[in-house]
Amino acid sequence: MIAKLTAKPGHEEELGAALTDGAAKVLAGEPGCLLYRVARSRSEAGVYKLMEVYESQAALDAHPNTPHFAEIRTALAAHLGAAPEVEFLDALN
């Protein structure tokens, strides 16, 4: 899964901090999450991308139902300038 998150103007650093804090919670609390990486775009100001890999569809389906996901969503809400754009991918290797 790849998600694009755009910060409100002036909230770029806060969004980045909330995303990295959230990534640590996901990696610590979801053994089915194999990769949860936060990256800042070099070409789009205020844009972050999340790269997430789960060991199974069940692990991905469980992700939004975890207690820490609700905390992450609340922390991000004040800093997002647009709704997240999410793309689901199927691994080939």
Side-chain angles (χ1 to χ4, degrees):
M1 183 177 95
I2 296 177
K4 176 181 176 181
L5 295 99
T6 304
K8 285 182 186 174
H11 289 249
E12 294 83 2
E13 295 305 315
E14 293 89 344
L15 181 58
L19 288 169
T20 55
D21 180 62
K25 290 177 181 176
V26 170
L27 289 169
E30 296 182 46
C33 181
L34 304 175
L35 174 75
Y36 197 99
R37 190 72 162 209
V38 179
R40 184 187 328 228
S41 175
R42 291 184 179 183
S43 60
E44 297 178 272
V47 170
Y48 293 86
K49 299 217 177 160
L50 301 180
M51 294 160 273
E52 304 176 36
V53 177
Y54 295 86
E55 69 181 5
S56 65
Q57 185 63 45
L60 173 61
D61 293 344
H63 172 63
N65 300 314
T66 60
H68 55 263
F69 187 84
E71 293 173 19
I72 294 166
R73 188 179 359 210
T74 299
L76 297 179
H79 308 299
L80 287 174
E85 297 174 33
V86 178
E87 181 179 4
F88 295 94
L89 307 166
D90 291 318
L92 298 179
N93 64 357

